[in-house]
């Protein structure tokens, strides 16, 4: 009798095992078949969840989505502007004291303008000091005049002057390139502002979390660059000293900085110059 009961129980247990396996497999298939939403289709809460997943994947501590949605991250303790909740975009810190971001269309228009300025600022923040370093030797190698040398070592700008020293061909090339980029803007591949489909090295991630993380990094660098290029122009206008000469340890070779600026190996300088 005992053997009959044991056999029956074994048969019953075996009967349930395949069913469980089938349920798990079905759940896996359903999960795989889910379509991953685009970054612009996420609401604010989902966006912060995606950011937390990306941060956790890098070994960081996730933020608190609830606090981020109710208060401004840029202005701690202040309420988050309600208009910013109409769309989820990277770089959103809840900063809109004048209430410009009233709806999705308006916010995306401002983001498109911001990303253009950010990219130009990143190019300018790199090009300004590099021009002051390499313009003279390049002009000498090509047997041309150096606008920076003729402008007392300062990069030509509205505040520094010297714009008239630059060849008109340069301005024609700049205007032509800017017009080409603007024309390309009418053929954007997606709703994301600034997405021109330009990724020759394939660095732009395919998943939503990776896209948002890459956009976040670009906005941070772009905003810092906008502040930097403004500081470059203001500093040179006020001090009449080039950025390269003001901070030579950032832009000059170490040996040149030690010998020319610090006189580290010039024993004839004595101690009066230190």
């Amino acid at each position: 009798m005992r053997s009959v009961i044991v056999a029956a129980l074994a048969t019953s247990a075996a009967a349930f095992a395949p069913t469980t396996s089938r349920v798990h497999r079905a759940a896996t298939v359903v999960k795989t078949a889910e379509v991953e939403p685009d970054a612009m289709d996420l609401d604010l809460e989902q966006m912060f969840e995606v950011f937390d997943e990306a941060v956790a994947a890098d070994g960081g501590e996730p933020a608190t989505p609830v606090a981020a949605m109710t208060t401004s991250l840029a202005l701690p303790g202040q309420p988050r502007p309600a208009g910013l909740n109409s769309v989820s975009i990277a770089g959103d810190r809840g900063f809109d004291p004048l209430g410009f971001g009233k709806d999705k269309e308006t916010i995306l228009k401002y983001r498109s303008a911001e990303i253009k300025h950010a990219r130009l600022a990143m190019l300018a923040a790199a090009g300004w000091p590099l021009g002051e370093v390499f313009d003279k030797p390049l002009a000498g190698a090509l047997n041309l005049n150096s606008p920076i040398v003729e402008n007392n070592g300062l990069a030509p700008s509205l505040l520094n002057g010297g714009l008239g020293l630059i060849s008109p061909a340069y301005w024609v090339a700049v205007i032509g390139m800017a017009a080409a980029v603007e024309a390309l803007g009418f053929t954007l591949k997606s709703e994301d502002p600034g997405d021109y489909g330009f990724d020759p090295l394939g660095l732009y991630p395919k998943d939503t979390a990776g896209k948002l993380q890459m956009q976040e990094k670009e906005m941070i660098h772009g905003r810092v660059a906008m502040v930097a290029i403004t500081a470059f122009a203001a500093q040179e206008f006020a001090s009449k000293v080039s950025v390269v000469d003001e901070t030579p340890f950032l832009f000059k070779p170490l040996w040149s900085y030690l010998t020319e600026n610090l006189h580290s190996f010039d024993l004839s300088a004595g101690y009066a110059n230190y």
Side-chain angles (χ1 to χ4, degrees):
M1 185 64 179
R2 290 180 179 176
S3 60
V4 173
I5 294 174
V6 171
L9 291 175
T11 304
S12 301
F16 285 102
T19 304
T20 305
S21 176
R22 282 195 298 271
V23 171
H24 284 303
R25 283 199 298 271
T28 304
V29 172
V30 172
K31 184 176 181 181
T32 305
E34 290 179 356
V35 178
E36 188 176 15
D38 189 76
M40 300 301 295
D41 296 332
L42 302 176
D43 59 29
L44 191 63
E45 184 174 1
Q46 291 172 328
M47 182 187 71
F48 281 109
E49 290 176 355
V50 171
F51 274 128
D52 286 346
E53 292 176 2
V55 172
D58 288 341
E61 293 293 332
T64 305
V66 176
M69 286 186 292
T70 58
T71 61
S72 171
L73 295 178
L75 302 173
Q78 298 299 315
R80 174 183 172 82
L84 299 181
N85 297 331
S86 58
V87 62
S88 59
I89 53 177
D92 183 1
R93 297 295 183 272
F95 183 79
D96 187 20
L98 300 180
F100 288 141
K102 299 178 180 180
D103 50 42
K104 178 179 179 180
E105 182 180 358
T106 303
I107 292 175
L108 292 182
K109 181 176 67 175
Y110 279 117
R111 169 47 57 88
S112 180
E114 182 183 21
I115 195 67
K116 289 178 183 178
H117 285 79
R119 289 169 177 172
L120 286 173
M122 286 189 283
L123 291 173
W128 188 297
L130 289 176
E132 293 181 344
V133 172
F134 295 108
D135 185 73
K136 181 179 179 180
L138 286 177
L142 298 175
N143 197 24
L144 299 173
N145 295 329
S146 171
I148 292 181
V149 172
E150 296 180 11
N151 201 41
N152 300 319
L154 303 179
S157 68
L158 290 175
L159 296 179
N160 290 339
L163 292 177
L165 300 174
I166 301 176
S167 171
Y170 170 81
W171 296 117
V172 172
V174 168
I175 294 174
M177 292 178 62
V181 172
E182 283 296 320
L184 184 62
F186 292 105
T187 61
L188 292 178
K189 290 188 176 182
S190 72
E191 189 182 16
D192 294 350
D195 183 6
Y196 291 87
F198 180 78
D199 186 24
L201 300 180
L203 300 178
Y204 195 55
K206 304 299 182 183
D207 60 297
T208 302
K211 289 180 180 179
L212 287 174
Q213 195 174 37
M214 186 68 76
Q215 293 170 10
E216 183 81 8
K217 292 177 180 178
E218 183 179 27
M219 290 312 307
I220 291 174
H221 285 81
R223 288 168 179 173
V224 171
M226 286 189 281
V227 174
I229 194 62
T230 303
F232 287 175
Q235 178 260 309
E236 289 197 357
F237 174 72
S239 67
K240 303 302 179 184
V241 178
S242 69
V243 171
V244 172
D245 290 333
E246 190 75 38
T247 53
F249 55 89
L250 292 177
F251 303 108
K252 290 186 177 181
L254 179 61
W255 181 260
S256 176
Y257 170 64
L258 291 175
T259 56
E260 295 178 9
N261 298 96
L262 294 184
H263 305 285
S264 298
F265 303 96
D266 186 3
L267 299 180
S268 64
Y271 293 97
N273 293 332
Y274 289 90

